Structure formats: C-alpha cells, structure tokens
Amino acid sequence: MSNASEIHTHVRTRIAPSPTGFLHLGTARTALYSWAYARHHGGEFVLRIEDTDVARSTQDSVDQILQSMHWLGLNYDEGPIYQMQRLDRYAEVIARMLDEGTAYRCYTTPQELDALREQQKAKGEKTGYDSRWRPAPGKTLPRVPEGVKPVIRFANPLDGEVRWDDLVKGPISIGNREIDDLIIARADGVPTYNFAVVVDDWDMAITHVFRGDEHINNTPWQINIYRALGAPLPLFGHLPVILGDDGQKLSKRRGAVAVSAYEDEGYLPEAMLNYLARLGWSHGDDEIFSSAQMVSWFDGSHLSKSPAQWDAAKLAWVNAQHLKQADDARLAALVARQLQRRNLVASDEGQLAAMCALFKDRCTTIAELADWLAMYFAPVTPTAEDLAQHVTDAVKPALQSLVLRLADVVWEKAGIAQAIKDTLAEHKLKMPQLAHAVRVLVCGRAQTPSVDAVLALFAREDVLARLQRA
Ligand code: GLU
C-alpha cells in the first residue's frame, strides 16, 4: 500500500486546528511548514477549524486562532472552513459506507465497553473493541436493544498492513490486526476526528498533510478510510514534538505556549516564524532569514526526525536580530501600543521612530524597547545608589553650567554635544563623569546610547527640569 504512485502535482496543504484554546506554538509551527510548502510549490494553503468536539470548542478560541494566524502573516487561500457546517456531507459519506459495508452500526453501551476492557485487562489482552456488531457472513448479530442510539464504526480491514512513507519519519507500517474498529460517528451523528479529517482532506484535495507526531497512531485508520472510500491518499509528514527548556513536552505549565503571548511580550512575527522554522527544519547554517527566504527554500527536505527543544534565549536572540533590521516607523507603531498599555502617550510618530532607531540595537523585544523609551514620556526615578555614585558634589557645579548652556543651544545633537564639551573644559572633568550624572538624572539610569543623541530626543524643558533636581 505504498502511496508513492499517488503523488499529486498541484500542492494543497492545510492547517486544521481544534478551537479549544489559543494557537499553540506547535500548531503554529505546523501551520508555518504547511504554508511554506504550499507557497514554495505555488499551491494553496487551507485553514480548517475542527470544531466537532462541541463541548470544548468556543468562538473565542476561533477568534484567537484567526488573530494569531493573521499576526504571523500565515495567509490562507481558503477557509476558515468549519467542520460543524459540513455535517450533511459527513452524513452522506457515512450513508454510503453503511451501504457498502465499510461501516456498521454498533449498539454497545459505554458500560458494556467498560466491562469488555476490564475482561481484556484481566486476561492480559490488548484492550479494544471486539467487533461484536460487525456484520460477517454467517454471523448472527446481537438483538438491537431498544432506546439505544448506535454509534457508527468503521470496518477496519482484518488483515494486511498499513504502510506509508512519512515525509518526516520515513517508512512506517502497522498490522491491521493491531487496530480495532474505530467509531467514526457518535450517537448524535457528529463525526469523530479520524473520519471528518479524511472526508475533509479528500474533499479539499489536500495533497500533503503535515501535523504533530501525536497523530501517527491515527494515520493507519485514516489511510484505511481513504482506501474504503476509494479516495486518493495525501502524503503525510509527522513533525516531532517540541520539548520545553526542561526536556519535557512543551506545555502550559512550562511557560507561554500561546502564540498570542509572544505578540503581547513584543516579539516580531517574522522572528517567531524564523525561530519556529528552525525547530525541526534547517537550511544549511542559516539562522536568520525572512519568510520569503524560507518559502524559497522549503521543499520538504531537511525536516528533522527528532524532537526540537524550545530555547527562550535563542528566540530572544533571533528577535533581536529582526528588531535591528526592522523599519523604524513600523517599530514606532508597535512601541506606541506597548506604551499605551502603560498609559503613556507618544503622539509624535516621527520622533518615536527616531527613538526606536537609537535604542533598537540594545533590545530583544518591543516591550524592552518600550521600557527604554518610557523615560521620554514619564518622569524617571533614579535610584539612591546611582545618585550617590554619579551625581557627586564634584559634578554638581558642572551640571549647573550645563543647564545654562543647554538653555541656549540649538536643540539638536550637535548643539548639545558642544554644550557638554564646553562644560567639560570649563570644569576640567572627563566625559564619563558628566555624562553619567546627566544620564542618571534625565534617564534614570547610568548606561544609555550616546548622551547627546539621547538628550536631543527629549523636549529641552524636560531635560532642564530633570537636571535641576541635582
Ligand atoms: N484538529 C487536529 C489537531 O489540532 C488536526 C490534526 C491534523 O492535522 O490532522 O491536532
């Protein structure tokens, strides 16, 4: 049952999140690979919302997923398609399968299933459904109980093997004897994941299914359902899990796993994509690249078979690299939003862009950039240690003459630099002595980029007022 002969020429991929929470980092990586693969081949990328777990699916989650996809720039050509709007289609396929004998009604109650499992365990047997309602030549089925709504089960092939050549893991095979007859529709008619996913991927002409390797055990059932339907098989690529910093599966308990949390913390979407791309894929030694570069390289090769490890420090580094390259006007808009959350208003966008240009090299996130720039929009409180260490009696007279000079100069970097230079000469001080004192008073910290450039971005009266506190 190799599927090599079924390779499709027009690539179509999809991401199929279940709306039971935010967009998880693992799903975002799968979405990225699926998207990049489709884009690389000039194909289509589809977004499908797998909302058949009605009890756990929420609109809020759908909204969050769509928002994160949008933020990451993973644009889709079709969708969102909702499974719960396709119930008629699933019912139609089920009717056909019942007709053709590839599916059957099963009236086993949950209590009977529990009892069966206990018996199997007691005998040391593998647990699973025993096919008691599966029709077979010469077999007498149990009497249909009254008032029990049946589930629908797939009549899995009894013999032979399911094999596929996984795009990531290589050849995989499993004997059909290992697999029981899966429930494909619940008693209320809502299909289960393994069935709906096949009907959808078939109807949507999906050619390449990338997903997390927690689904490897589902794939044999799905392949058998494709076969039963006479549908062409897609190729499957199962991506290894992402481990947390501690080597355990990345999970909520171990830090932020929602893409939206990284947006809130001030990571750039292109940096997230860059970082996620490298969690399970490589292109030579390239570490910093754009989505466009990834698309041009991502042909399905060099996918890693082994788990990737989340590395917050590396993500920060990748983000810092993209921050350096980012357009200042764009950063200004992003920083303005971060400042707004702190109730700080930056109304002059041009000025804010200049501030971003000056500080972005020393920041890893937009939030950190906002930490720096907050001093331009709110009073600062230097620490007692900094004041004692840098704003000494030896420097105070120089600060006073600097105030006088600054009151007069043309308010730009060169004028400010000259005022500082003249003050140093007059008071026979070294640059660091005066510059540190100025920084502590005006910026609330002793280290900043070049002091003349930093001051030039303040309003003159703010600088004078802060210096006069000495
Ligand atoms: N709804 C499934 C999930 O979120 C989709 C798996 C698949 O891509 O087939 O895990």
Side-chain angles (χ1 to χ4, degrees):
M1 281 200 198
S2 162
N3 50 19
S5 58
E6 295 179 24
I7 293 178
H8 313 65
T9 47
H10 187 75
V11 170
R12 284 173 59 87
T13 64
R14 66 2 177 233
I15 185 71
S18 303
T20 55
F22 39 68
L23 185 69
H24 188 281
L25 292 169
T27 312
R29 181 190 59 173
T30 306
L32 170 62
Y33 289 9
S34 306
W35 172 85
Y37 193 77
R39 293 287 172 265
H40 178 87
H41 291 283
E44 283 97 42
F45 173 57
V46 179
L47 174 67
R48 183 170 73 230
I49 300 290
E50 301 207 325
D51 53 356
T52 59
D53 184 348
V54 181
R56 293 174 61 228
S57 299
T58 65
Q59 185 58 42
D60 187 47
S61 164
V62 171
D63 295 343
Q64 286 194 42
I65 289 169
L66 297 182
Q67 149 62 22
S68 289
M69 291 287 291
H70 176 75
W71 178 67
L72 289 171
L74 297 177
N75 52 338
Y76 35 91
D77 305 289
E78 289 166 32
I81 297 162
Y82 296 84
Q83 289 190 320
M84 285 307 282
Q85 292 175 9
R86 289 177 41 79
L87 294 181
D88 288 352
R89 171 63 178 148
Y90 306 130
E92 177 188 314
V93 178
I94 295 227
R96 182 186 136 191
M97 291 173 76
L98 286 171
D99 238 30
E100 293 173 354
T102 52
Y104 60 93
R105 293 183 180 82
C106 166
Y107 295 86
T108 317
T109 61
Q111 293 75 17
E112 287 170 329
L113 286 175
D114 284 346
L116 172 64
R117 191 170 317 113
E118 288 315 311
Q119 276 171 26
Q120 289 168 330
K121 274 201 220 153
K123 287 194 223 154
E125 289 171 4
K126 194 171 175 316
T127 57
Y129 178 63
D130 61 1
S131 306
R132 60 183 69 169
W133 284 93
R134 179 175 175 140
K139 174 174 171 183
T140 316
L141 293 177
R143 264 226 348 242
V144 173
E146 262 176 53
V148 178
K149 277 203 162 179
V151 300
I152 309 296
R153 287 191 186 264
F154 173 58
N156 197 70
L158 299 170
D159 302 305
E161 269 196 338
V162 189
R163 275 173 195 282
W164 77 97
D165 198 2
D166 198 90
L167 295 166
V168 181
K169 310 252 173 183
I172 298 181
S173 64
I174 178 163
N176 274 321
R177 285 171 199 277
E178 305 293 315
I179 317 173
D180 63 0
D181 286 354
L182 168 84
I183 296 179
I184 57 175
R186 303 180 186 96
D188 61 4
V190 177
T192 58
Y193 158 70
N194 277 302
F195 174 71
V197 77
V198 170
V199 176
D200 286 351
D201 285 340
W202 175 32
D203 286 354
M204 295 165 203
I206 299 303
T207 57
H208 296 75
V209 170
F210 291 99
R211 61 185 167 208
D213 66 4
E214 69 273 18
H215 286 292
I216 281 197
N217 290 336
N218 289 322
T219 304
W221 274 312
Q222 294 179 21
I223 290 178
N224 285 335
I225 296 173
Y226 277 100
R227 296 292 186 206
L229 293 171
L233 277 184
L235 298 175
F236 296 94
H238 290 92
L239 305 166
V241 289
I242 303 174
L243 301 176
D245 284 341
D246 57 0
Q248 304 290 312
K249 192 171 181 226
L250 196 65
S251 74
K252 224 187 204 164
R253 267 177 296 132
R254 302 191 166 80
V257 288
V259 168
S260 52
Y262 292 87
E263 178 180 6
D264 293 345
E265 284 174 37
Y267 287 84
L268 294 173
E270 64 269 35
M272 283 312 284
L273 290 182
N274 183 161
Y275 179 72
L276 287 170
R278 289 283 294 104
L279 283 179
W281 171 77
S282 57
H283 180 263
D285 294 332
D286 291 303
E287 288 294 355
I288 301 298
F289 45 82
S290 66
S291 312
Q293 282 172 306
M294 179 184 180
V295 164
S296 73
W297 298 331
F298 197 83
D299 60 3
S301 61
H302 304 289
L303 287 165
S304 166
K305 283 189 174 56
S306 43
Q309 187 141 3
W310 188 260
D311 180 346
K314 180 163 176 204
L315 169 61
W317 176 76
V318 170
N319 202 60
Q321 307 313 306
H322 283 274
L323 205 64
K324 280 198 217 335
Q325 295 170 17
D327 174 67
D328 296 323
R330 173 180 167 222
L331 292 181
L334 294 172
V335 170
R337 245 186 284 154
Q338 289 274 350
L339 290 171
Q340 217 166 26
R341 284 204 225 151
R342 305 169 195 203
N343 292 321
L344 301 176
V345 182
S347 46
D348 185 336
E349 276 173 29
Q351 185 82 342
L352 194 54
M355 293 170 185
C356 291
L358 185 57
F359 286 90
K360 66 181 180 182
D361 280 3
R362 54 184 64 214
C363 297
T364 55
T365 64
I366 301 289
E368 213 183 300
L369 193 50
D371 289 342
W372 272 103
L373 301 190
M375 67 183 181
Y376 285 108
F377 308 99
V380 293
T381 326
T383 64
E385 290 92 315
D386 273 346
L387 287 171
Q389 190 186 343
H390 299 293
V391 188
T392 57
D393 288 343
V395 183
K396 280 182 185 167
L399 285 167
Q400 278 167 23
S401 15
L402 180 63
V403 167
L404 295 178
R405 285 198 175 84
L406 289 179
D408 247 13
V409 293
V410 177
W411 195 252
E412 52 190 35
K413 192 176 158 200
I416 295 168
Q418 192 60 48
I420 293 173
K421 216 170 136 196
D422 294 346
T423 307
L424 291 174
E426 183 195 350
H427 292 267
K428 307 214 166 8
L429 289 174
K430 293 250 164 10
M431 180 60 143
Q433 290 172 286
L434 184 58
H436 279 125
V438 170
R439 286 180 171 120
V440 167
L441 288 167
V442 178
C443 309
R445 44 173 132 191
Q447 310 294 331
T448 71
S450 151
V451 70
D452 44 5
V454 170
L455 293 188
L457 293 169
F458 277 95
R460 184 197 313 253
E461 57 276 17
D462 287 344
V463 171
L464 299 184
R466 290 182 192 188
L467 287 177
Q468 276 165 327
R469 282 188 315 205

